[in-house]
Amino acid sequence: MKILITGSAGFIGFHLSKFFLNKGYNVIGIDFLNSKSKKIQINRNKILKKSKTYKFLNLDLSKKNICKKKISNINYVFHLAAQPGVRKSMTHVNQCIKSNIISFNNILEFLRYNNIKNLYYASSSSVYGELKKGFNEKYSADNLNSNYALSKQLNEKTANLYYREYGINSIGLRFFSIYGPYGREDMAYYRFCLDILKNKKIFLNGNGNIKRSFTYIDDAISIIYRLFNNFKTKKKFNEVFNVGIDENYKISELINIISKNYTSKFKVLKKPKVKADNKLTLNDSKKTQKIISFKPKINLNNGMKSFLIWFKDYYKIND
Ligand SMILES: NC(=O)c1ccc[n+]([C@@H]2O[C@H](COP(=O)([O-])OP(=O)(O)OC[C@H]3O[C@@H](n4cnc5c(N)ncnc54)[C@H](O)[C@@H]3O)[C@@H](O)[C@H]2O)c1
């Protein structure tokens, strides 16, 4: 069984590739390895390349020639490549359009050209906009706060169009703040730890009151795999699913956990809330649970402890 995973040198793509390789699948990974965090991308890719059943292609998915690239015998595509930062999508608009919108359309054209029928792709909790409760999949907000959220909403609509027009099945994965080892350096939990390591102040936007359904990577991978197993025998599908934990945590709680399990020797500099950041996310796993009978169980405290064990080892920090 051959699987194509885009964004395989990225955080979630790396973990998903590793997971499928361990299960005995052949994985083709695509990434263009050109983010600001290039070093960790290369390190993730090095780990994947140790497996004989992993093949890596360094390609920019926003280039037109992707649409007519022939790769034979692929059964499933997981499209995770994107420019993921909500804030960055407001300062690097072009990059967001290229990596999130054009690349998405190119991947769908690639599926069409190669006669591949099944796509799993990354959407985001950001499509819910500024919501307080009711994060269920029937909903998608009208007034969004970022180009990033818009791009993910458009992806969901485009997937629906290709399903109706060309019979391409798809599952959109609305991820809720996924975190863990080999994570993303731009996300708060990782950025805080890196700033502490460099003896810099932590920048805290919005007084620490912003809440997120922080979801540990292992739980996210379990959900993706269970959804995959459920849908791989189905003939026709076009759905979106939340991927997250049904709890949320204030950023101030995250900082407390870091101070208890890493170090308390750091200063916090409070800054106003960034407009593009929604005030809260709160996952609702009812729809996902109905299909896969699985609920994330790794709370922020335990997940961050595992992350910090990895972080200290990766950056060779002595306790
Ligand atoms: N991590 C989260 O909490 C989270 C939350 C919501 C949605 N998502 C979505 O999940 C997916 C994976 O996120 P992640 O956290 O692993 O991000 P990531 O930045 O670590 O990984 C994305 C990868 O895509 C690659 N990429 C970007 N544009 C490309 C292009 N044009 N051609 C080839 N490769 C390209 C990058 O180089 C990177 O390695 C993204 O689509 C993201 O928007 C993530």
Side-chain angles (χ1 to χ4, degrees):
M1 193 83 80
K2 217 196 244 178
I3 290 182
L4 176 74
I5 300 183
T6 73
S8 59
F11 167 45
I12 302 176
F14 160 70
H15 283 280
L16 192 66
S17 300
K18 199 150 65 78
F19 182 87
F20 275 120
L21 289 168
N22 287 340
K23 287 243 171 247
Y25 287 83
N26 287 300
V27 174
I28 298 180
I30 293 182
D31 207 295
F32 68 172
L33 300 172
N34 84 344
S35 81
K36 246 177 138 185
S37 320
K38 197 166 174 161
K39 202 167 164 198
I40 197 162
Q41 289 185 310
I42 288 170
N43 287 341
R44 293 181 190 124
N45 210 29
K46 260 191 203 156
I47 296 172
L48 296 178
K49 279 178 166 172
K50 283 185 192 153
S51 168
K52 285 197 180 83
T53 51
Y54 178 71
K55 188 177 166 202
F56 178 66
L57 303 174
N58 189 335
L59 294 172
D60 181 348
L61 294 165
S62 68
K63 297 276 188 278
K64 210 175 161 198
N65 58 4
I66 295 299
C67 304
K68 296 222 160 128
K69 183 162 181 64
K70 195 85 204 152
I71 308 183
S72 33
N73 303 325
I74 293 174
N75 306 90
Y76 305 95
V77 175
F78 285 82
H79 177 56
L80 301 174
Q83 196 295 102
V86 168
R87 296 178 191 178
K88 200 171 171 190
S89 76
M90 303 308 281
T91 52
H92 296 68
V93 180
N94 222 24
Q95 201 181 324
C96 174
I97 291 170
K98 275 188 182 164
S99 283
N100 298 16
I101 298 176
I102 298 175
S103 297
F104 192 82
N105 283 64
N106 286 350
I107 273 292
L108 279 166
E109 284 298 314
F110 167 86
L111 265 97
R112 224 153 75 75
Y113 186 71
N114 284 279
N115 203 22
I116 304 165
K117 286 287 172 217
N118 301 302
L119 173 70
Y120 296 75
Y121 66 93
S123 184
S124 163
S125 61
S126 65
V127 301
Y128 289 111
E130 202 65 270
L131 204 62
K132 288 204 173 76
K133 56 180 181 177
F135 288 73
N136 88 59
E137 290 88 339
K138 283 191 191 122
Y139 184 72
S140 193
D142 282 335
N143 300 312
L144 294 170
N145 288 344
S146 66
N147 289 311
Y148 174 76
L150 274 173
S151 72
K152 292 294 178 183
Q153 201 174 59
L154 183 61
N155 289 171
E156 290 186 359
K157 292 193 161 128
T158 311
N160 177 265
L161 172 69
Y162 273 64
Y163 169 69
R164 287 181 286 115
E165 200 63 23
Y166 305 117
I168 293 180
N169 297 319
S170 60
I171 297 293
L173 305 158
R174 290 185 175 177
F175 291 125
F176 280 71
S177 303
I178 315 298
Y179 71 100
Y182 285 97
R184 248 174 53 211
E185 293 170 355
D186 62 304
M187 287 180 75
Y189 72 99
Y190 201 132
R191 191 164 35 85
F192 291 159
C193 294
L194 274 183
D195 284 344
I196 294 170
L197 182 64
K198 293 175 193 156
N199 289 319
K200 286 172 140 179
K201 286 177 188 153
I202 285 184
F203 284 89
L204 180 61
N205 295 93
N207 263 334
N209 289 325
I210 286 177
K211 283 180 154 185
R212 290 284 175 271
S213 277
F214 285 112
T215 304
Y216 193 66
I217 183 71
D218 293 1
D219 277 337
I221 297 294
S222 293
I223 293 174
I224 301 171
Y225 184 61
R226 284 170 161 85
L227 283 171
F228 168 71
N229 262 341
N230 184 275
F231 282 96
K232 77 178 180 202
T233 51
K234 301 225 176 351
K235 287 236 154 53
K236 278 167 83 81
F237 52 90
N238 170 245
E239 300 274 350
V240 291
F241 287 97
N242 287 341
V243 178
I245 192 163
D246 288 0
E247 291 168 19
N248 60 11
Y249 313 87
K250 282 186 182 174
I251 304 291
S252 54
E253 285 177 73
L254 173 66
I255 293 178
N256 276 339
I257 296 171
I258 293 174
S259 105
K260 277 193 195 124
N261 296 285
Y262 178 16
T263 175
S264 54
K265 286 184 200 140
F266 59 85
K267 288 209 169 86
V268 179
L269 193 69
K270 290 193 175 163
K271 293 209 156 192
K273 188 182 109 40
V274 174
K275 249 185 161 179
D277 288 342
N278 294 318
K279 288 194 193 84
L280 70 86
T281 61
L282 178 55
N283 184 61
D284 172 347
S285 66
K286 277 189 217 76
K287 180 179 175 187
T288 314
Q289 267 192 72
K290 240 189 220 164
I291 302 276
I292 61 170
S293 314
F294 172 84
K295 227 180 158 176
K297 40 191 171 296
I298 304 168
N299 64 26
L300 187 62
N301 194 44
N302 290 337
M304 276 305 288
K305 277 186 182 166
S306 300
F307 168 75
L308 285 166
I309 290 170
W310 169 83
F311 184 84
K312 289 179 198 168
D313 180 58
Y314 188 74
Y315 291 99
K316 302 190 174 32
I317 300 165
N318 298 320
D319 274 326

